[in-house]
């Protein structure tokens, strides 16, 4: 009986240990885009969340890009965010135990946990992150997503709890849809038409944008399941037809109504 | 000239209602429970009103009963038999309309059937959903509404991320579920297009033209409705959401009226 209790306790403790906590972004989490050298935009990019740059000074392309948030360019706020980003990067890279994944994870379904690639990581097609919890991807070199690829969040997965720790640079392919927090050692390039539900945080390089949509989670963030988002049902068809018949009756009787109105 | 006997018509009508009582009850239940098909309550009222409106025309017609009417009635009965064996409510409803057409033909002949052709075709709008067709169409319609709504929001400068049929607008997510797929707008506007064409225009092809025009108008209006709900949280639920939906439908009708005027103008120019 004692051995059984000890076994149960051990299993429960192990499960608790394996459930990872989110990487603490601290003030870096206040930004949808954070870069070190430059932020360059082409086209009608829409960014929701702060845009920070430190120690660089050049932010170009806003407008035509739009920011629903605050610019922090070469100020104390951006500088602190870079410090916090460095700490977050180190935190993510040190997480263990981790599971080795293939260089190409497109077409796979992944559950919460810590994963590491041997060198680079590629996403072609759809990768599904299924389940509520923290996902940490440790990528020694580059992260690349193919054109029209998709990171699909299901089963309660949320963008705020997905972390892509990239040893060099990240590139999101044209028209792709990506979720999560990109913590890149060097640069982040979000190519034409790509969408990011998360954050693009570059430690030493640039963030380059081109007609993108970036929405930072803002703490709660986009989620991929659990309680489904509310629907917006159309009005009942009997009401629509009743309104339609009333409008038609008014339209047909307009001459008669106008004559009556003129007499008054 | 042979005239239709009112008593015979009344007996035939009662017989049809009694024979198809389970089907009619099923249709009534679907109209009550399915908001996509609830317009079915109003369709028979409009059909009967049109018949009443045209009473002078069909009263002047001589009654020339045709044996073909019995053949059509037999076909309707056969369809109802198949429906009772498990083919479903849709087959039974079609059988009912076929039987009504057969009764008109049997009692009044082809001239009467021609006179009642439009009301009978209009009655197609009260048929229940055909599940096979509906299930195939609903997801593509949901995705189409999602794509169009995302495009509209992007075009007006509002950041949106679309994942399938879920729109993420500044961290707030809405779902384009089955009830948002636009079928209600499509069926309601299609019905109104045909009624409008009947009342406002004598050209028979105008009914088909307006019915065809109703499809893109309804699809676009539904996408605008979804986009507005995504943009403004106040329009996503409650009374403002309902009122916005009704208002958009009135705009759709106005667009149909304009479309009719435009087609008429082009037709007049072509004729001259």
């Amino acid at each position: 009986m004692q051995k059984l209790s000890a076994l149960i306790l051990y299993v429960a403790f192990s499960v608790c240990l394996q459930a990872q906590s989110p990487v603490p972004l601290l003030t870096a989490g206040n930004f949808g885009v954070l870069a070190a050298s430059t932020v360059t935009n082409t086209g009608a990019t829409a960014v929701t969340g702060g845009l920070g740059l430190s120690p660089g000074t050049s932010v170009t392309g806003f407008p035509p890009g739009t920011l629903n948030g605050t610019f922090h360019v070469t100020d104390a706020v951006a500088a602190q965010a870079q410090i916090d980003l460095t700490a977050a990067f180190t935190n993510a890279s040190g997480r263990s135990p981790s599971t080795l994944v293939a260089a190409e994870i497109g077409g796979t379904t992944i559950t919460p946990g810590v994963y590491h690639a041997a060198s680079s990581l590629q996403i072609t097609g759809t990768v599904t992150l299924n389940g509520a919890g923290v996902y940490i991807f440790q990528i020694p070199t580059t992260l690349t997503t193919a054109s029209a690829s998709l990171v699909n969040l299901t089963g309660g997965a949320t963008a705020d709890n997905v972390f892509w720790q990239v040893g060099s640079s990240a590139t999101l392919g044209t028209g792709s849809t990506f979720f999560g927090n990109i913590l890149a050692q060097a640069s982040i390039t979000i190519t034409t038409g790509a969408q990011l539900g998360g954050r693009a945080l570059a430690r030493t390089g640039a963030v380059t944008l081109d007609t993108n949509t970036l929405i930072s989670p803002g703490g709660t963030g986009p989620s991929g399941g659990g309680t489904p988002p509310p629907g917006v049902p159309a009005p009942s068809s009997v009401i629509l037809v009743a309104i339609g018949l009333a409008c038609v009756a008014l339209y047909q009787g307009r001459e008669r109504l106008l004559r009556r109105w003129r007499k008054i | 000239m042979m005239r239709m006997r009112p008593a015979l018509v009344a007996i035939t009508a009662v017989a049809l209602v009694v024979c198809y009582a389970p089907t009619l009850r099923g249709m009534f239940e679907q109209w009550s429970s399915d908001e996509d098909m609830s317009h079915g309550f109003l369709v028979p009222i409009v059909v009967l009103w049109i018949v009443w409106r045209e009473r002078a025309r069909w009263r002047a017609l001589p009654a020339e009963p045709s044996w073909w009417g019995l053949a059509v009635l037999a076909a309707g009965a056969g369809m109802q038999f198949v429906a009772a064996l498990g083919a479903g409510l849709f087959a039974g409803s079609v059988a009912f309309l076929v039987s009504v057409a057969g009764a008109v033909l049997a009692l009044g002949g082809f001239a009467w059937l021609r006179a009642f052709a439009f009301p009978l075709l209009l009655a197609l709008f009260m048929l229940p959903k055909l599940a096979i067709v509906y299930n195939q169409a609903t997801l593509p319609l949901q995705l189409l509404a999602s794509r169009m709504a995302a495009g509209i929001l992007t075009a007006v400068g509002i950041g949106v991320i679309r994942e399938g049929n879920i729109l993420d607008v500044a961290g707030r997510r809405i779902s384009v579920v089955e009830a948002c797929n636009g079928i209600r707008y499509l069926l309601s506007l299609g019905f109104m297009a045909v009624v409008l064409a009947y009342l406002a225009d004598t050209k028979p092809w105008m009914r088909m033209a307006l019915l065809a025009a109703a499809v893109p108008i309804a699809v676009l209006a539904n996408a605008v409705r979804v986009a507005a709900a995504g943009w403004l949280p106040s329009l996503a639920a409650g009374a403002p959401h309902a009122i916005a939906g009704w208002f958009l439908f009135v705009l759709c009708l106005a667009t149909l009226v304009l479309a009719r005027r435009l087609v008429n103008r082009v037709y007049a120019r072509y004729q001259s």
Side-chain angles (χ1 to χ4, degrees):
Chain A
M1 189 62 183
Q2 276 181 334
K3 282 185 185 171
L4 180 61
S5 303
L7 179 64
I8 292 169
L9 275 171
Y10 174 75
V11 168
F13 193 54
S14 302
V15 168
C16 288
L17 277 180
Q18 284 176 17
Q20 294 282 338
S21 59
V23 174
L25 297 175
L26 302 179
T27 62
N30 296 332
F31 292 89
V33 171
L34 179 65
S37 58
T38 60
V39 175
T40 306
N41 172 59
T42 309
T45 293
V47 178
T48 301
L51 191 152
L53 178 66
S54 177
T57 58
S58 172
V59 173
T60 59
F62 288 88
T66 56
L67 176 68
N68 182 9
T70 308
F71 286 98
H72 287 282
V73 180
T74 328
D75 63 8
V77 173
Q80 182 60 49
Q82 280 290 359
I83 293 169
D84 292 337
L85 172 58
T86 300
F89 187 92
T90 306
N91 182 299
S93 64
R95 293 290 181 106
S96 64
S98 63
T99 305
L100 179 67
V101 290
E104 169 64 71
I105 58 172
T108 64
T109 298
I110 298 173
T111 54
V114 183
Y115 301 90
H116 72 271
S119 177
S120 63
L121 193 69
Q122 166 91 17
I123 300 174
T124 305
T126 301
V127 61
T128 300
L129 307 184
N130 182 45
V134 175
Y135 299 76
I136 300 173
F137 295 90
Q138 299 163 334
I139 306 160
T141 58
T142 57
L143 166 66
T144 309
T145 70
S147 296
S149 61
L150 170 65
V151 172
N152 188 23
L153 306 181
T154 62
T158 63
D160 214 13
N161 284 333
V162 177
F163 300 89
W164 307 84
Q165 181 250 317
V166 182
S168 61
S169 295
T171 304
L172 304 187
T174 57
S176 61
T177 301
F178 194 85
F179 285 101
N181 303 287
I182 305 173
L183 285 61
Q185 171 64 26
S187 300
I188 299 172
T189 303
I190 306 179
T191 58
T192 309
Q195 303 178 105
L196 170 62
R199 300 177 177 93
L201 310 174
R203 287 184 65 198
T204 63
V207 172
T208 306
L209 308 167
D210 183 358
T211 320
N212 310 117
T213 303
L214 276 84
I215 299 179
S216 78
T220 49
S223 69
T227 309
V232 284
S236 167
S237 64
V238 66
I239 295 176
L240 293 177
V241 169
I243 289 171
L245 292 173
C247 290
V248 166
L250 276 171
Y251 178 70
Q252 290 297 105
R254 67 192 185 283
E255 289 299 327
R256 210 167 38 242
L257 285 169
L258 278 171
R259 271 199 298 267
R260 233 178 250 180
W261 180 258
R262 283 185 198 123
K263 277 183 189 169
I264 296 170
Chain B
M1 189 165 70
M2 195 171 162
R3 291 249 170 244
M4 186 77 69
R5 291 179 200 168
L8 194 55
V9 171
I11 291 168
T12 307
V14 169
L16 280 172
V17 169
V18 167
C19 291
Y20 284 94
T23 300
L24 294 172
R25 187 168 50 243
M27 288 166 71
F28 185 86
E29 280 166 7
Q30 194 181 83
W31 300 341
S32 307
S33 60
D34 188 343
E35 294 199 12
D36 285 351
M37 304 308 298
S38 57
H39 63 277
F41 284 114
L42 296 176
V43 173
I45 296 172
V46 174
V47 166
L48 289 173
W49 177 76
I50 289 173
V51 169
W52 175 82
R53 192 171 183 262
E54 299 279 321
R55 62 192 183 286
R57 186 160 75 100
W58 54 260
R59 273 181 186 165
L61 292 171
E64 293 170 354
S66 168
W67 289 108
W68 283 107
L70 294 179
V72 175
L73 273 168
M79 286 181 69
Q80 173 66 351
F81 181 68
V82 169
L85 287 177
L89 183 61
F90 183 83
S93 308
V94 172
F96 173 69
L97 291 183
V98 168
S99 296
V100 168
V104 169
L105 191 55
L107 292 175
F110 285 97
W112 277 66
L113 187 61
R114 273 193 295 274
F116 282 93
F118 176 68
L120 280 171
L121 287 171
L122 196 62
L124 291 174
F125 278 94
M126 72 180 189
L127 291 180
K129 278 192 285 202
L130 182 56
I132 294 172
V133 171
Y134 181 80
N135 292 339
Q136 291 288 329
T138 188
L139 186 59
L141 283 173
Q142 284 173 245
L143 291 175
L144 179 63
S146 310
R147 272 192 217 112
M148 289 177 69
I152 291 167
L153 286 168
T154 305
V156 298
I158 295 162
V160 59
I161 290 180
R162 182 181 71 85
E163 190 183 5
N165 66 327
I166 295 175
L167 301 178
D168 190 307
V169 186
R172 194 173 60 85
R173 286 162 74 90
I174 61 167
S175 185
V176 183
V177 297
E178 219 175 281
C180 320
N181 63 12
I183 284 278
R184 293 175 197 179
Y185 267 64
L186 207 54
L187 291 175
S188 304
L189 193 64
F191 178 73
M192 289 313 308
V194 177
V195 171
L196 186 67
Y198 163 75
L199 291 173
D201 210 295
T202 54
K203 298 184 285 299
W205 57 262
M206 182 59 81
R207 291 167 200 169
M208 295 309 297
L210 282 188
L211 184 60
V215 174
I217 293 172
V219 168
L220 179 61
N222 188 57
V224 168
R225 186 186 63 80
V226 171
W231 177 38
L232 295 170
S234 56
L235 291 182
H241 173 68
I243 292 168
W246 302 340
F247 178 70
L248 263 174
F249 190 71
V250 173
L251 284 182
C252 290
L253 290 172
T255 308
L256 269 182
V257 169
L258 286 172
R260 181 187 145 261
R261 286 192 180 172
L262 184 66
V263 169
N264 273 332
R265 199 166 286 181
V266 169
Y267 179 72
R269 200 165 286 180
Y270 175 74
Q271 289 287 87
S272 61

